[in-house]
Amino acid sequence: MIPVNQKIFGTPPPAVAVVENSQIKEHIMAAAKKKKFSELSLASKVSLITAATAQITLLIAAQIDLSRRDSSQVRGNKPVWAAVNFISFIGPLSYFTFGRTHNKR
């Protein structure tokens, strides 16, 4: 008896590689293994420290600016902007871009 797919397509079904669950699990675990800071390359360490410093600096600058501004110089609610500032790089950058009003003198 000829299989249905061979009758229709004229070719045998494709071979399927047999992979054990343990092999899949080992592959996933190896890919998901987190490196310790000491295991990173020098370039990765410098990049990570630079990004962290920039993010913390932006956060502090945004919070200081927000605390020193009058509510009339802030678009929206000040407590909301204070919370938004803690969202990675996006929070402080969006506060500096959209959250402040610039009074013309």
Side-chain angles (χ1 to χ4, degrees):
M1 183 171 201
I2 299 174
V4 175
N5 63 343
Q6 192 171 0
K7 286 181 186 177
I8 297 171
F9 301 112
T11 58
V16 178
V18 178
V19 179
E20 294 182 24
N21 285 339
S22 61
Q23 290 174 328
I24 295 172
K25 186 176 180 180
E26 287 175 21
H27 179 70
I28 291 172
M29 294 302 288
K33 183 183 176 202
K34 294 183 179 180
K35 290 185 178 182
K36 295 179 183 177
F37 186 78
S38 60
E39 297 173 338
L40 296 175
S41 68
L42 179 61
S44 295
K45 288 179 184 178
V46 169
S47 298
L48 184 63
I49 291 170
T50 302
T53 303
Q55 183 174 348
I56 291 169
T57 303
L58 276 171
L59 170 65
I60 292 170
Q63 293 293 69
I64 289 172
D65 184 78
L66 182 63
S67 68
R68 291 183 180 173
R69 281 187 182 270
D70 189 48
S71 294
S72 64
Q73 295 178 326
V74 177
R75 289 186 184 109
N77 197 349
K78 284 178 74 170
V80 172
W81 279 114
V84 167
N85 283 336
F86 284 95
I87 302 172
S88 187
F89 286 99
I90 297 169
L93 291 176
S94 54
Y95 166 71
F96 286 126
T97 305
F98 305 112
R100 304 184 305 169
T101 59
H102 299 285
N103 294 338
K104 296 181 180 179
R105 296 178 190 189

